[in-house]
């Protein structure tokens, strides 16, 4: 070539090398960047589909679980009824004790008895259908709200016209065992036919006045009680923050029509509760979504619909996705909906995150390409052996720096996640693990339990033996518990003398037994400071879909109950009750 001459061969070769490097660099870079943008568009579409599909699956799961719960409750109402009756009688018995103790020094026995009777008389439950009765040891009807005309008459002598054997057995049960259940046949107050119905009563013996306090319920009312229980639970399941809520229809005609159903529960539209509904109702865009879900119910027993509907927070109408499932035994349709604008926001955030990531990747590619050009120029300019030496030293130094950086990052990570005194995880790390385990539990419906551990009278240890002794006890406790938990359990210092243990894959009953085991180990352990230390435990099981604060608060309440009842004990607090 005429432009290449001996005197400029070096510079010409250098220029050609630059041209080739630039051509290859920008060609390769352009292809990679184009591929990144194409991948971004595909990722965004996939992301939106995945989020909507995930929300759909969650809705279907929530509704299915609720229907299964309805069926389970319906078949377990007998035992639940007995539990509720015993609880109600215990409450009234306590009320009577409080009145008696407060008035004992002020009024006569007859006056106290009258005060207690009139205090109990208006107490009702089960939508005011349940009431309490009082019998004396001799069979006198002290209180009988179902028929006040027989009050002060005697059941045992037949004055009331009712079976004296039942009253005799109730009184005998209360006197002999102090409290208990009795099953028998009895008339209904509103049934003039005097037909006998199967009934169960729970009685308790009130020693100060030698009274038998009791209440009862007819077994044929259980189905209605189950319906009321489910409806009340769904009314309280409304999530104000997310606008998510269950709603419930009673179907009269699966084919549809003007009065095809009655709204039973709807926290968003309390004005519709108890009213008949028409399937011709349309949303703000003219969609007859009730006809749509009715068709799915008729064909498959379940349905899904997307429509526009009023938001509970009063911010107008929003696009809503709802899942419907039919429970034929009660002719109920159980439904739950989620407003998609919240999902749209989440999708927008994810999209922005992806865009930023792709932008950063492209920037990184550009930097790499420019570095490659610079290195290529150096390669073209310097002797190969010297260049090889430079690269060797560069790689060695880079590896050393990388190793040092990894060590520093690891040390910083451990320091940021670890409590300095006890070497356990700190509260921040625990919150991360809690969020992760709750997501896993909600997704796979595996059990998840939480234990709160608090040292009893720890302030006394610090005040009596000094803070160094207290620190030694905390370190011993942390080491002892860490030795007996699994690798996938999370032990963290919650604050002060309080620790928390997150236990995935273990139900609350097993977690309670494990807490008891730890409590006994601590009680029998010989500490470095040669002190005897006891501890109290609060245990709770995660309820699918609940907030982390509710989960933790329940364990905290259980711990408070354990301390309130004397310390050095474990307490399991379920969603509606506590077990010690």
């Amino acid at each position: 070539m005429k432009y290449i001459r001996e005197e400029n061969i070096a510079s010409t070769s250098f220029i050609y090398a630059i041209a080739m490097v630039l051509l290859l660099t920008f060609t390769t870079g352009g292809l990679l960047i184009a591929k990144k943008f194409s991948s971004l568009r595909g990722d965004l579409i996939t992301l939106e589909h995945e989020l909507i599909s995930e929300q759909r699956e969650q809705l279907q799961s929530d509704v299915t679980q609720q229907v299964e719960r309805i069926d389970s409750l319906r078949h377990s109402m007998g035992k639940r009824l007995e539990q509720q009756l015993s609880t109600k009688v215990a409450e009234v018995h306590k009320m009577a004790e409080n009145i008696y103790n407060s008035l004992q020094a002020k009024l006569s026995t007859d006056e106290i008895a009258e005060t207690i009777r009139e205090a109990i008389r208006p107490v009702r439950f089960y939508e005011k259908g349940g009431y309490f009765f009082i019998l004396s040891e001799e069979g006198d009807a002290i209180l009988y709200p179902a028929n006040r005309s027989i009050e002060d008459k005697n059941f045992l002598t037949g004055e009331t016209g009712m079976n004296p054997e039942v009253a005799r057995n109730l009184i005998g049960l209360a006197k002999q065992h102090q409290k208990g259940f009795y099953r028998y046949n009895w008339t209904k107050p509103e049934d003039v036919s005097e037909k006998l119905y199967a009934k169960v009563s729970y009685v308790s013996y009130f020693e100060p006045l030698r009274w038998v306090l009791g209440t009862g319920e007819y077994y044929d009312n259980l189905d209605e009680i189950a319906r009321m229980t489910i409806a009340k639970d769904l009314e309280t399941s409304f999530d104000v923050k997310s606008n998510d809520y269950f709603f419930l229809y009673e179907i009269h005609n699966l084919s549809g029509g003007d009065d095809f159903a009655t709204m039973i529960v709807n926290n968003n539209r309390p004005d519709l509760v108890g009213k008949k509904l028409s399937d011709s109702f349309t949303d703000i865009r003219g969609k007859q979504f009730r006809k749509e879900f009715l068709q799915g119910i008729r064909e498959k027993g379940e349905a899904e619909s997307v429509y526009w509907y009023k938001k509970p927070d009063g911010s107008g109408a929003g696009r809503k996705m709802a899942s419907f499932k039919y429970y034929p035994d009660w002719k109920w349709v159980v439904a739950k909906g989620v407003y998609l604008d919240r999902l749209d926001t989440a999708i927008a955030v994810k999209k922005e995150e992806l865009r930023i990531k792709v932008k950063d990747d492209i920037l990184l590619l550009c930097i790499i390409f420019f570095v490659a050009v610079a290195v290529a120029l150096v390669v073209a300019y310097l002797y190969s052996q010297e260049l090889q030496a430079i690269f060797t030293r560069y790689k060695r130094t880079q590896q050393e720096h990388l190793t040092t950086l990894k060590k520093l990052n690891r040390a910083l990570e451990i320091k940021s996640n670890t409590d300095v005194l006890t070497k356990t995880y700190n509260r921040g790390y625990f919150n991360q693990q809690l969020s992760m385990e709750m997501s896993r539990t909600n997704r796979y419906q595996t059990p998840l339990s939480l234990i709160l551990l608090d040292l009893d009278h720890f302030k006394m240890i610090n005040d009596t033996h000094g803070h160094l002794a207290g620190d030694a006890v905390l370190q011993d406790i942390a080491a002892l518990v860490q030795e007996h938990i699994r690798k996938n359990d999370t032990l963290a210092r919650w604050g002060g003398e309080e620790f928390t243990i997150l236990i995935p894959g273990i139900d609350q009953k097993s977690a309670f037994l494990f807490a008891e085991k730890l409590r006994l180990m601590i009680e029998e352990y010989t500490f470095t400071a040669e002190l005897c230390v006891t501890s109290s435990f609060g245990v709770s099981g995660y309820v699918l879909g609940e907030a982390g604060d509710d989960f933790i608060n329940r364990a905290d309440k259980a711990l408070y109950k354990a301390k309130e009842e004397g310390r050095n004990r474990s307490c399991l607090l379920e969603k509606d009750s506590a077990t010690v």
Side-chain angles (χ1 to χ4, degrees):
M1 298 175 67
K2 63 180 181 178
Y3 295 106
I4 301 177
R5 295 188 297 272
E6 185 176 348
E7 64 271 15
N8 66 358
I9 190 170
S11 59
T12 303
S13 299
F14 183 62
I15 291 171
Y16 277 128
I18 293 175
M20 289 300 296
V21 169
L22 291 175
L23 178 62
L24 289 174
T25 298
F26 286 110
T27 301
T28 304
L31 290 174
L32 288 175
I33 290 172
K35 186 177 180 180
K36 279 287 183 183
F37 276 114
S38 176
S39 176
L40 171 63
R41 287 190 291 271
D43 288 346
L44 292 177
I45 294 172
T46 302
L47 171 66
E48 185 167 356
H49 289 165
E50 286 178 351
L51 287 176
I52 292 176
S53 177
E54 186 176 307
Q55 186 64 69
R56 179 182 294 109
E57 290 175 3
Q58 184 61 54
L59 277 176
Q60 292 172 348
S61 174
D62 290 347
V63 172
T64 299
Q65 287 180 24
Q66 191 60 243
V67 170
E68 290 172 352
R69 177 173 173 272
I70 290 172
D71 196 58
S72 174
L73 178 63
R74 182 181 171 220
H75 291 95
S76 64
M77 276 305 294
K79 181 177 289 186
R80 180 162 179 165
L81 170 66
E82 292 181 356
Q83 292 174 345
Q84 291 175 338
L85 291 180
S86 63
T87 299
K88 297 296 183 183
V89 171
E91 291 172 354
V92 168
H93 191 283
K94 186 65 177 178
M95 181 174 72
E97 283 183 344
N98 291 338
I99 295 174
Y100 185 86
N101 293 334
S102 64
L103 299 179
Q104 187 176 10
K106 303 176 183 178
L107 301 177
S108 67
T109 301
D110 289 342
E111 290 173 325
I112 295 174
E114 179 65 17
T115 301
I116 294 174
R117 180 174 75 166
E118 296 310 313
I120 295 175
R121 184 185 298 280
V123 179
R124 295 288 186 273
F125 55 96
Y126 292 148
E127 297 295 329
K128 299 185 178 180
Y131 62 88
F132 296 93
F133 61 83
I134 302 175
L135 302 177
S136 71
E137 282 187 352
E138 294 76 21
D140 293 327
I142 307 298
L143 174 65
Y144 199 79
N147 186 357
R148 294 188 62 171
S149 65
I150 67 173
E151 289 184 3
D152 299 325
K153 293 182 180 180
N154 194 286
F155 274 96
L156 303 184
T157 61
E159 290 181 69
T160 62
M162 299 180 184
N163 188 353
E165 187 65 24
V166 172
R168 186 176 294 108
N169 291 338
L170 286 171
I171 295 169
L173 171 66
K175 290 178 64 177
Q176 183 177 357
H177 300 288
Q178 298 299 308
K179 57 186 176 182
F181 290 99
Y182 181 64
R183 294 164 185 82
Y184 56 99
N185 294 319
W186 199 251
T187 59
K188 285 188 176 182
E190 69 277 7
D191 190 342
V192 296
S193 68
E194 297 187 355
K195 177 183 175 182
L196 296 178
Y197 297 85
K199 186 175 184 179
V200 59
S201 286
Y202 184 82
V203 293
S204 174
Y205 188 62
F206 187 61
E207 181 71 31
L209 296 176
R210 295 186 298 171
W211 279 357
V212 177
L213 303 178
T215 189
E217 184 56 71
Y218 295 93
Y219 281 106
D220 62 353
N221 290 341
L222 292 184
D223 215 39
E224 184 60 31
I225 294 172
R227 292 171 186 251
M228 290 190 298
T229 301
I230 290 295
K232 284 184 176 295
D233 288 349
L234 291 181
E235 286 175 359
T236 59
S237 67
F238 177 45
D239 187 344
V240 178
K241 293 182 179 178
S242 64
N243 282 333
D244 295 350
Y245 60 92
F246 282 97
F247 47 106
L248 191 62
Y249 302 94
E250 182 177 3
I251 301 297
H252 307 306
N253 186 354
L254 274 176
S255 299
D258 289 339
D259 297 327
F260 83 98
T262 297
M263 184 70 75
I264 301 176
V265 174
N266 190 326
N267 286 315
N268 185 21
R269 293 292 305 277
D271 56 304
L272 294 181
V273 174
K275 294 183 179 180
K276 298 289 180 65
L277 304 177
S278 170
D279 67 347
S280 61
F281 177 81
T282 62
D283 66 7
I284 60 173
R285 301 199 174 185
K287 183 174 183 177
Q288 294 180 326
F289 62 91
R290 290 175 180 166
K291 286 185 182 293
E292 182 178 67
F293 84 70
L294 272 176
Q295 181 178 351
I297 293 294
R298 289 193 297 269
E299 294 174 355
K300 300 180 297 181
E302 57 185 6
E304 176 190 307
S305 183
V306 177
Y307 54 95
W308 287 78
Y309 205 71
K310 167 186 173 292
K311 289 185 180 180
D313 60 11
S315 59
R319 191 163 62 100
K320 178 181 179 182
M321 179 167 63
S323 180
F324 304 82
K325 195 172 184 67
Y326 188 48
Y327 186 63
D329 290 351
W330 286 353
K331 296 183 179 180
W332 275 10
V333 169
V334 181
K336 186 179 183 182
V338 59
Y339 286 90
L340 294 180
D341 52 357
R342 182 172 55 125
L343 196 60
D344 293 339
T345 301
I347 292 173
V349 170
K350 291 290 186 182
K351 285 181 177 180
E352 186 60 27
E353 289 175 355
L354 277 175
R355 288 192 184 95
I356 293 173
K357 183 179 183 302
V358 170
K359 181 180 178 181
D360 291 343
D361 289 345
I362 292 173
L363 179 61
L364 180 61
L365 283 173
C366 292
I367 293 173
I368 292 173
F369 292 150
F370 282 119
V371 171
V373 170
V375 172
L377 293 176
V378 173
V379 171
Y381 185 77
L382 299 175
Y383 296 103
S384 60
Q385 291 181 350
E386 183 63 18
L387 186 60
Q388 183 63 46
I390 291 172
F391 277 135
T392 300
R393 291 195 299 273
Y394 172 76
K395 290 180 180 179
R396 185 171 58 250
T397 302
Q398 186 185 46
Q399 187 60 44
E400 291 173 356
H401 288 168
L402 182 60
T403 301
T404 302
L405 183 61
K406 286 181 178 179
K407 290 180 180 179
L408 289 173
N409 286 338
R410 180 57 183 162
L412 287 172
E413 182 181 356
I414 293 173
K415 185 175 181 181
S416 66
N417 292 332
T418 305
D419 177 64
V420 176
L421 176 63
T422 62
K423 308 305 179 187
T424 61
Y425 289 118
N426 58 26
R427 192 164 183 166
Y429 181 81
F430 171 83
N431 287 334
Q432 295 175 16
Q433 291 300 108
L434 176 63
S435 177
M436 182 180 70
E437 293 298 343
M438 284 169 54
S439 297
R440 181 180 291 117
T441 295
N442 283 320
R443 189 174 184 85
Y444 299 107
Q445 300 183 22
T446 54
L448 176 63
S449 298
L450 178 66
I451 298 175
L452 283 179
L453 180 164
D454 189 71
L455 302 186
D456 297 329
H457 305 298
F458 185 75
K459 184 177 185 299
M460 187 182 299
I461 295 175
N462 281 333
D463 294 343
T464 306
H465 302 280
H467 288 277
L468 291 179
D471 290 348
V473 168
L474 291 175
Q475 291 169 338
D476 287 348
I477 288 288
L480 178 62
V481 174
Q482 189 69 55
E483 183 180 352
H484 289 86
I485 64 176
R486 304 170 304 168
K487 289 184 179 180
N488 60 332
D489 296 338
T490 302
L491 171 64
R493 187 177 181 188
W494 192 246
E497 69 274 20
E498 195 171 5
F499 295 85
T500 182
I501 309 170
L502 186 62
I503 312 176
I506 298 297
D507 61 36
Q508 59 187 13
K509 301 295 184 183
S510 300
F512 176 80
L513 295 177
F514 179 58
E516 271 296 276
K517 176 182 176 182
L518 291 178
R519 182 185 67 78
L520 292 174
M521 290 171 57
I522 293 171
E523 184 179 8
E524 297 167 2
Y525 186 76
T526 302
F527 289 83
T528 303
E530 298 185 356
L531 296 172
C532 293
V533 178
T534 63
S535 55
S536 300
F537 288 77
V539 183
S540 70
Y542 179 68
V543 178
L544 293 178
E546 75 173 346
D549 287 345
D550 294 337
F551 185 23
I552 295 171
N553 286 340
R554 194 160 56 255
D556 192 55
K557 289 178 180 177
L559 176 60
Y560 179 82
K561 183 174 179 64
K563 286 193 168 289
E564 187 179 44
E565 294 184 356
R567 295 184 170 85
N568 191 21
R569 63 187 63 215
S570 301
C571 176
L572 166 63
L573 188 62
E574 299 177 353
K575 188 169 185 182
D576 296 316
S577 63
T579 302
V580 180

